[in-house]
């Protein structure tokens, strides 16, 4: 039996066309695949596919944070400058506090690939004991943002945002997340580290 705490994670893909069945959603499968590789904890996903509607997004985030008891909620899509891109606004609507560093680092990573990364408006916020983070919409960008960039020898060139997620969740009273260092090494001060659980 695993000594690791189970973790409930909310996943929200925001897309008018995917939610209407015009094309298959790629965001939710990409998020689940990456998280299963990165985390050693037993995971339970609460997945939602919804349209680009500010009130609907906000209601979904409240449900996942308050009613479903998710320690972490990741959204994908709806963070650009187009009129229907309202995910950041909806996220701020339900926030108690904002964590600007996540958005800053996501744009730094994106700028290594495309100059249009400056158009992204992703935010990260806290609601109670839940961390909510907006991610890009493309599976490749999702993985790069979470995992960071490495050179051909595997050395980290630019840390991904997920390296800071476990300690953030520690600080707000959530479960202890243990990552697979081969995918993403979580950073914690020595005083906050626990012995690694047997795999």
């Amino acid at each position: 039996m695993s000594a690791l705490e189970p973790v409930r994670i909310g996943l929200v893909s925001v897309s008018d066309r995917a939610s209407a069945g015009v094309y298959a959603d790629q965001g939710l499968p990409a998020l689940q695949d990456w998280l299963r590789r990165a985390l050693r904890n037993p995971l339970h996903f609460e997945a939602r596919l919804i349209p680009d509607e500010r009130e609907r997004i906000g209601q979904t985030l409240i449900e996942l944070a308050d009613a479903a008891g998710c320690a972490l909620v990741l959204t994908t899509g709806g963070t650009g400058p187009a009129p229907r891109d309202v995910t950041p606004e909806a996220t701020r609507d339900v926030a108690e506090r904002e964590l600007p560093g996540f958005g800053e680092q996501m744009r730094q990573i994106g700028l290594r690939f495309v100059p249009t990364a400056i158009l992204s408006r992703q935010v990260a916020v806290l609601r109670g004991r839940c961390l909510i983070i907006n991610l890009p919409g493309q599976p490749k960008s999702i993985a790069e943002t979470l995992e960071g960039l490495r050179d051909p020898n595997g050395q980290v060139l630019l840390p991904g945002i997920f390296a800071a997620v476990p300690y953030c969740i520690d600080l707000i009273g959530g479960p202890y997340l243990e990552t697979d260092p081969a995918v993403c090494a979580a950073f914690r001060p020595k005083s906050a580290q626990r012995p690694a659980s047997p795999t």
Side-chain angles (χ1 to χ4, degrees):
M1 184 173 175
S2 174
L4 292 169
E5 296 177 69
V7 181
R8 188 174 294 265
I9 299 176
L11 305 175
V12 184
S13 185
V14 182
S15 170
D16 285 332
R17 289 182 291 173
S19 64
V22 176
Y23 58 74
D25 171 68
Q26 297 181 28
L28 295 174
L31 284 169
Q32 290 186 25
D33 175 67
W34 192 89
L35 289 164
R36 285 193 181 106
R37 289 189 295 111
L39 286 170
R40 292 177 167 166
N41 302 67
L43 302 177
H44 175 81
F45 296 118
E46 294 280 350
R48 307 286 187 271
L49 176 57
I50 59 175
D52 292 273
E53 296 170 4
R54 183 168 174 170
E55 188 174 344
R56 176 79 176 276
I57 298 166
Q59 290 171 346
T60 301
L61 296 177
I62 290 171
E63 176 217 339
L64 293 172
D66 297 3
C70 293
L72 174 66
V73 174
L74 301 176
T75 75
T76 174
T79 60
R84 293 286 290 175
D85 290 336
V86 294
T87 301
E89 285 74 21
T91 303
R92 286 192 179 99
D93 287 344
V94 306
E96 294 171 359
R97 290 184 288 168
E98 190 168 342
L99 297 168
F102 281 98
E104 294 164 5
Q105 185 68 358
M106 285 190 263
R107 285 179 278 279
Q108 285 295 315
I109 293 168
L111 283 167
R112 293 290 188 102
F113 299 96
V114 290
T116 50
I118 60 173
L119 302 178
S120 68
R121 302 184 304 111
Q122 293 105 311
V123 299
V125 305
L126 299 176
R127 180 181 175 88
R129 291 188 175 186
C130 180
L131 171 62
I132 304 171
I133 305 174
N134 303 152
L135 293 171
Q138 296 301 316
K140 182 174 182 289
S141 298
I142 289 170
E144 290 163 350
T145 299
L146 292 170
E147 197 166 326
L149 310 180
R150 298 173 185 260
D151 67 16
N153 298 318
Q155 295 298 310
V156 175
L157 297 174
L158 195 60
I161 63 162
F162 205 84
V165 166
Y167 186 50
C168 180
I169 291 176
D170 292 350
L171 292 172
I172 60 174
Y176 189 90
L177 302 187
E178 190 169 304
T179 63
D180 181 346
V183 179
C184 178
F187 177 83
R188 286 180 170 96
K190 287 185 179 179
S191 61
Q193 295 175 15
R194 299 182 189 174
S197 299
T199 54

